[in-house]
Amino acid sequence: MSVRPTHEALLALFLLCSAGCAGEAADALVVFGLTTDMAVGFQFDHIETTTKVDGVVTGTERLSYGGGELSLPAELVVGPAPDGAEIELSIAAFRDGEASPIVTRRGATRAAGGRSLLLPISLDEACCATPCAASATCAAGACVEPFIAPSALTDHDPLWIASASDACKTPGSGDPAVVIGQGESAFASLEHGEVVPIEAGPQGGHHVWLALRVTGLRQMGSRLTVEGYFPEMEFELLPFTAQVTMHKAGEDRCEIDGVRFQVDRGLPVEAVRGQPLDIEVALEDPNGDVAMAAQRVVISP
């Protein structure tokens, strides 16, 4: 299971100014709304960004999933900049250990005095195998002009993130739902009342390996809560909570595997062997959407 430190939906705020803007009334901003339909941390691991104002590089940044710096969707803000200045963002997404990016994207516009413009820019899986000329960029599998006139852009509204495209929360994924399965490294189905093995953990205690199949929730930043209750002993286990990242497992669903849930916290392990255990899980994504599920298992004797 990939567990990340708590972080907000906004990835970073870059306040960059071109060399010629000192002393001028430069209150224009361009907010690049960065999204992807690929699974961050699985299909790519880090991005490298370059910002330019009127052709001059004003900043570069490397943001890594493993370092806890990369979470999408996100905002990258360039400005303040003088009215009419050309603002450009270039992004390259990499897998760890590979020198060539798996996908690149560029976006550009002109600063409009007094406005904060929102320029959507996506890293699309369909662009991974789509080469484009140097003057073009790839979007949704097609080569397009990277420049968009400011008159064609809307003003920035931070609520855009709530409806942004996502690797797991797609138009076809339907309402939030979760299915409880089992598995340390892959999802396997779990029947009601199925006998499940337990194993000793590295820091004491014994646990079962759970896996979850999820639809309708965002790939990153969902809060997972797992609870357990032994009905025959009338004993409630302490809940487990974590922030999780899912991986794609089909067109409209994602999965989490390797969820370790301790079953003998506060009990001797011999007392739980052969006992039925009612497991409940809840997943809440950064938008506030929630999926819940329950399953009964029997601890292996």
Side-chain angles (χ1 to χ4, degrees), residues 54-65:
D54 283 335
V56 177
V57 174
T58 56
T60 60
E61 191 79 4
R62 183 185 188 275
L63 301 168
S64 165
Y65 172 78

Side-chain angles (χ1 to χ4, degrees), residues 225-230 235-241 260-267 277 280:
T225 301
V226 184
E227 298 179 325
Y229 179 73
F230 287 105
F235 188 88
E236 185 173 348
L237 294 169
L238 290 174
F240 165 80
T241 62
R260 182 191 283 120
F261 184 54
Q262 186 176 342
V263 298
D264 61 347
R265 188 175 296 176
L267 291 169
L277 172 64
E280 294 185 357

